[in-house]
Amino acid sequence: MIDAAAVEELKFLGDPLADAVVADLVATGRVGAVNAVLEHFRANDQPIPEDLPEVVREFLVATDDPPPWADLDRIARAYDFFVDDGVHVASVLTFGAMVNCYAQPRVSRVLTLTHGLNQPHRRLSETSQFVMNMMGCDAFGPGGAFVPTIQKTRLIHAAVRHFLTTSGRWDVEADGVPVCLQDMVGALLIFSVQVLEGMRRIGISVTEQEAADYYYVWRVTGAMLGVPVEALPESVDEARELSATLVEAAYGPSPEGVALTRNLLTLYEKLFPGKLFDGIVAAMIRQVVAPEVADWMEVPRSRAWAGVARAGTRLVRTLERSEDNSALATRILDKAGALLLGGSVRTLTDGQSTTLDIPADLRERWAEAGVCPAPVRGDAT
């Protein structure tokens, strides 16, 4: 069982390996040059670029492998689950997990100070790409792209810690370290067990074995992000308990959380042009997050669309029950999830310098089900 007091101490811990790299690069003025090189470092089996400072190369070598206890067979089972239900994971993640993140006042303040209130697309696109790279086939092996994703994420978090703690806008003694290891544990629980709970709320069937395997991938990911393994619940049941006592217990209202949610709603509503569907996004959010969280984040209520969302949940449950015996039911479910995923990609990349790259193996599997276009010849993503 996880010691809650020990997890609480993580509030004052950053990532020593990544923090040392950022401190050195800032002191020597090499941040921009390193960013330019790492932009092209994207595959697990890609050689570490030669033209990097030694401190960066040492960090990349030290963080190049999954933990020795990682069970690749369990990770492979989670991949099969994601092939079947990845679009539903994406739906709940975008509608629910982001709002749950904003329900943490301290985290919302960090996001506000770093990304600004008017850039929800940046946070959502980064999170979506992270999950896509994590759940690709052989994501942790030579065919994947997740190791560089993890390494860059650790450096980005270290940069946020450095600039916030030196800016005079953050009180470490009172608020702990920004983007601390406790925040990492909280994010892992939101994106794993809370996403699974959100899927069940809208009628998606998730077996306990699928839930355990999906959480396991996040546990391995947490270790690769620098979280001590003893702070990561071993079982999905322990993860649910820690989610309730650590994360959900810290939820509450904040001006920053409300503003971030409002901007996220505006972003989502671009998926549904015109006035006819006004209110449907808010109704969907209220389906996948706890009622008090929706109230704290001031998610609008819509009696008409709430009824539609509830009816949609009943329809999903009916389709899920018939999924094994009905190709039509399976196709309807996949199309429903793909509408949001495809729409999110178009919205998030409109005018942005980066795109959401779906790994080729996932794209191929989803293309067979009509979920997304097949990869073009030579696509390495």
Side-chain angles (χ1 to χ4, degrees), residues 13-31 106 110 113-114 153-172 176-180 183:
L13 295 178
D15 180 346
L17 283 177
D19 290 340
V21 173
V22 169
D24 179 88
L25 296 180
V26 171
T28 56
R30 294 179 291 182
V31 174
R106 187 173 161 282
V110 171
L113 291 173
T114 54
T153 298
R154 291 179 70 166
L155 293 175
I156 290 170
H157 290 167
V160 171
R161 278 191 295 272
H162 177 86
F163 288 110
L164 274 187
T165 54
T166 59
S167 69
R169 297 182 295 169
W170 191 268
D171 187 341
V172 172
V177 174
V179 198
C180 61
D183 293 337

Side-chain angles (χ1 to χ4, degrees), residues 226-254:
V227 179
V229 67
E230 58 270 18
L232 298 166
E234 188 167 351
S235 72
V236 69
D237 286 334
E238 289 178 346
R240 291 184 183 114
E241 183 175 340
L242 188 61
S243 176
T245 58
L246 174 72
V247 185
E248 296 170 47
Y251 286 167
S254 71

Side-chain angles (χ1 to χ4, degrees), residues 261-283:
T261 301
R262 185 181 305 119
N263 281 277
L264 194 66
L265 277 164
T266 300
L267 174 66
Y268 289 161
E269 286 170 354
K270 293 179 182 178
L271 298 175
F272 303 93
K275 298 294 184 182
L276 180 61
F277 293 101
D278 284 357
I280 186 60
V281 174

Side-chain angles (χ1 to χ4, degrees), residues 328-346:
L328 176 61
T330 302
R331 192 166 184 81
I332 291 173
L333 279 174
D334 289 341
K335 281 294 187 182
L339 174 64
L340 177 67
L341 179 62
S344 296
V345 172
R346 288 191 298 273

